[in-house]
Amino acid sequence: MPKMRAVQVSRAGGPLEMVEREIPAPGPGQVRVRVEANGICHSDVLTKEGLWPGIQYPRVPGHEIAGVVDAVGEGVAPWKPGDRVGIGWHGGHCGYCDSCRRGDFLFCKVRPLISGIDADGGYEDYVVAPAVALARIPEALSAVEAAPLMDAGVTTFMALRHSGARPGDLVAVLGVGGLGHLGVQWASKLGFDTVAIARGADKEPFVRKLGARVYIDSEAQDPAAELTRLGGARAILATATSGAAMTQVLGGLGVGGRLMVVGAPLDPLQVSALLLIGGNRSIAGWASGRPIDSEETLAFAVRTGVRSMNEPFPLDRAAEAYDRMMSGKARFRVVLTMGA
Ligand SMILES: [Zn+2]
Ligand SMILES: [Zn+2]
């Protein structure tokens, strides 16, 4: 049997280790994808540290996959070998539960499949996935460009599109890291009056280049007061991994404003009920997207020039690449490449 490289975690908290495995064959309804690139996401910590309930080991992490269909199982029309495809957090669903019948595939109640958690993900040369998890990658995007858009990109893009804000509205992006640097670009290209909030004066020229009209340095200014002075935000995309930072901006929501939470801090948000009531304000979460949402994200990126800024690492340096992501110093997404 031909072999491939896979980077697996063999126990909760264990190291990322390169192993040789047999190249898997796709079953009915599945395809095999030759992985070209895989973005490393902070949520890979769930696999690495065993934080997801019921996760089984060994497991290959990775849910920002870009590659080429390499083999198809039975019943996977219209996919064929050679198709360029991406796979994100959504790695499959049952198709018949109430959530699926409403199109909420991510919240499937019967057989939700999360790439890199319930099934092996993209830290390997070949991945097998249900055909329903595939999104088409347009020609204009390279695999390295497409991979981080399969989770970081689709999450931030869809959260903004579901924030209730309309073109011209004041929209703030809290945090300018892996998620936020995409959030600022989407917000600007969607026609929002875009504000970026981060720590430190040094980020200002960069966020303006990404499309922000206003930069708020939360170390020197009170973001809630500044947003209020600007008229109040219709939406704030909260990408920071700090509940305290999210709490700090809530007062900057305008009437009808909504905090869209996509970052996952460990500390809680604290909110005054009066703040919510006295202005019809709300707090909402947003989880990733369906394959069709990913396709729309990629298409919008092609049309508008939005790109993730990436630090590529070859697969055999996956452990180093993961540490780089965890350090918080990456500018801005770390992407594994498999080589030809
Ligand atoms: Zn992710
Ligand atoms: Zn279902």
Side-chain angles (χ1 to χ4, degrees), residues 239-323:
T239 73
T241 47
S242 156
M246 293 186 193
T247 299
Q248 198 192 11
V249 300
L250 277 170
L253 287 171
V255 171
R258 190 179 299 166
L259 185 81
M260 294 296 284
V261 179
V262 294
L266 297 177
D267 59 320
L269 274 88
Q270 295 194 325
V271 59
S272 141
L274 287 179
L275 178 82
L276 298 182
I277 297 167
N280 292 353
R281 299 179 180 92
S282 58
I283 300 176
W286 193 265
S288 203
R290 302 162 297 183
I292 189 68
D293 300 322
S294 296
E295 287 194 9
E296 289 180 8
T297 303
L298 299 176
F300 189 82
V302 169
R303 287 199 299 276
T304 59
V306 171
R307 292 292 185 278
S308 170
M309 294 174 196
N310 302 323
E311 294 184 6
F313 280 74
L315 182 66
D316 53 15
R317 287 167 61 197
E320 187 190 335
Y322 178 86
D323 290 344

Side-chain angles (χ1 to χ4, degrees), residues 41 43 63 151:
C41 180
S43 305
H63 58 264
D151 190 40

Side-chain angles (χ1 to χ4, degrees), residues 106-126:
L106 242 61
F107 310 110
C108 174
K109 293 171 176 174
V110 176
R111 209 168 55 231
L113 266 183
I114 302 169
S115 314
I117 292 181
D118 299 304
D120 287 333
Y123 289 38
E124 58 184 353
D125 287 319
Y126 293 89

Side-chain angles (χ1 to χ4, degrees), residues 39-44 63-64 89 150-152 155 179 288 333:
I40 297 188
C41 180
H42 189 267
S43 305
D44 293 348
H63 58 264
E64 289 189 344
W89 177 262
M150 293 305 302
D151 190 40
T155 302
L179 294 170
S288 203
R333 295 297 280 187

